[in-house]
Amino acid sequence: EDQVTQSPEALRLQEGESSSLNCSYTVSGLRGLFWYRQDPGKGPEFLFTLYSAGEEKEKERLKATLTKKESFLHITAPKPEDSATYLCAVQGPLYGQNFVFGPGTRLSVLP
Amino acid sequence: DAGVTQSPTHLIKTRGQQVTLRCSPKSGHDTVSWYQQALGQGPQFIFQYYEEEERQRGNFPDRFSGHQFPNYSSELNVNALWLGDSALYLCASSLASGGSEKLFFGSGTQLSVL
């Protein structure tokens, strides 16, 4: 059974204090690993897709990396507007297979 | 370009009642998936519709059913509601033939069962 765990559960940072979020997964053949951002009361918003170990993607202050067992979301010099819940999801090997989401990391960036 | 739209945004029901939630996918998308998100948890997959048929189903009872219409919009029906069904229900759309299978989510319907 595909499983995704995320750590830490919650993270509080000062503005400008860089850190990383972790996503560990077990899946029988990874088709893709996805990172989403979710603001309170809203649906998840797509950030990145990673397909193979060693791949990296960047967007503004965010950088996602992937190994065979985990993914990291690095946040460099965060701002208060980066406060949100960050969700990780994996998709198994079959085309169109459903996503399995982790519980998320709640990030708070204080000014 | 309209994204994924869901209605209603909020709903309050009592135990034993039935509810219907609606979703219009992003323009050009043909696949609709439904997820349930309890407070403080990640989304849990309910089912997926493609070409008006249920293509996949998660670990949810038969009280949860759905439908997809020829225009690709979709409904989620839940019968015999109980307290544990209180959650944010998310609709996500995607393109079956797309090279990237990322999901686009709506803002969700917040269901409260009293």
Side-chain angles (χ1 to χ4, degrees):
Chain A
E1 182 180 327
D2 301 343
Q3 288 190 333
V4 178
T5 59
Q6 292 187 245
S7 62
E9 183 177 322
L11 181 62
R12 182 174 287 191
L13 300 173
Q14 290 295 134
E15 185 172 1
E17 180 185 2
S18 301
S19 188
S20 296
L21 313 182
N22 175 265
C23 169
S24 295
Y25 64 91
T26 55
V27 62
S28 54
L30 180 70
R31 186 172 182 86
L33 184 140
F34 300 78
W35 281 98
Y36 283 83
R37 167 193 171 127
Q38 186 174 26
D39 293 302
K42 298 284 185 66
E45 176 186 345
F46 172 78
L47 293 174
F48 303 108
T49 309
L50 300 167
Y51 293 104
S52 57
E55 189 175 359
E56 298 181 353
K57 293 275 181 73
E58 285 191 70
K59 179 180 179 180
E60 297 180 359
R61 296 176 292 281
L62 300 177
K63 178 180 178 180
T65 62
L66 181 65
T67 72
K68 288 188 177 180
K69 293 185 177 181
E70 57 191 352
S71 177
F72 292 93
L73 184 66
H74 307 277
I75 304 177
T76 302
K79 298 181 177 182
E81 53 261 41
D82 294 323
S83 298
T85 295
Y86 290 85
L87 296 164
C88 169
V90 296
Q91 186 182 34
L94 301 178
Y95 189 80
Q97 193 166 345
N98 63 283
F99 286 28
V100 176
F101 280 85
T105 292
R106 295 190 309 277
L107 174 66
S108 299
V109 182
L110 308 177
Chain B
D1 177 21
V4 180
T5 59
Q6 292 187 244
S7 64
T9 55
H10 295 83
L11 205 52
I12 299 175
K13 292 287 188 178
T14 57
R15 283 175 294 174
Q17 284 189 311
Q18 177 263 344
V19 69
T20 298
L21 311 181
R22 295 176 175 82
C23 171
S24 292
K26 179 179 169 63
S27 178
H29 283 185
D30 56 9
T31 303
V32 173
S33 302
W34 287 92
Y35 287 79
Q36 179 194 66
Q37 187 175 26
L39 191 63
Q41 302 295 317
Q44 301 264 325
F45 175 71
I46 302 175
F47 42 54
Q48 181 186 81
Y49 276 85
Y50 171 67
E51 292 188 337
E52 302 180 50
E53 291 193 359
E54 184 181 290
R55 185 164 71 171
Q56 297 180 65
R57 190 179 183 91
N59 189 25
F60 278 80
D62 292 343
R63 298 187 297 109
F64 289 76
S65 63
H67 189 78
Q68 186 179 35
F69 299 94
N71 66 353
Y72 307 119
S73 67
S74 177
E75 288 181 349
L76 164 65
N77 300 292
V78 187
N79 293 323
L81 287 166
W82 70 294
L83 299 180
D85 294 330
S86 296
L88 180 67
Y89 287 84
L90 295 164
C91 171
S93 73
S94 56
L95 183 59
S97 59
S100 173
E101 295 180 54
K102 63 187 180 186
L103 300 177
F104 290 81
F105 284 87
S107 292
T109 294
Q110 185 65 55
L111 173 64
S112 298
V113 182
L114 305 178

